[in-house]
Amino acid sequence: MSALPAEPPATPYRTNPDGGPRTVAQLRAALAAASVADREEFDQELGELDLNDLEEYGALVRKWRHRLVMRTHPLIRAAVAASADPDAQRWTSAEILDGIGPQGSGR
C-alpha cells in the first residue's frame, strides 16, 4: 500500500511550514532536481544526525530548505546572474522574498 502524495506547498519559495517541501522525501526530491551534489550532501548530514536531537534535526531541515530556495527562486537566480554586472541594481534575498525587490513595489 502506498501513501498518497502530499499536497504541493502553497508557496514553494518559502522556508516556513506552509511553503516549500514539507517532508524529507519532498526535500530530497527537490534538492535532487536542483543539485545532485546538494542532495548527496543533505543525505550525508541527515545520516549523521542523532535521532534523539530534535533541535539538530530541525536546524538541518531549515538549512537545506533555505539552500533550496536560494538555488531555485527565479528572482534570486536572476540576481546571482546579474551580480557579474557592475551596473545592475542589487537586491537582498529578504527584499526579494518580501516582495520589495524587482517584482514587488517597484522600488
Side-chain angles (χ1 to χ4, degrees), residues 30-49:
L31 287 168
S35 167
V36 173
D38 278 356
R39 202 247 18 250
E40 290 171 354
E41 187 177 340
F42 169 74
D43 284 345
Q44 179 178 349
E45 290 181 20
L46 182 63
E48 295 170 358
L49 278 181

Side-chain angles (χ1 to χ4, degrees), residues 50-64:
D50 177 349
L51 294 177
N52 294 318
D53 190 342
L54 296 180
E55 287 181 29
E56 186 179 348
Y57 180 80
L60 179 74
V61 169
R62 284 188 301 276
K63 169 187 167 180
W64 284 97

Side-chain angles (χ1 to χ4, degrees), residues 88-99:
Q89 189 167 6
R90 304 292 189 234
W91 305 98
T92 66
S93 59
E95 289 171 327
I96 291 169
L97 292 174
D98 288 340

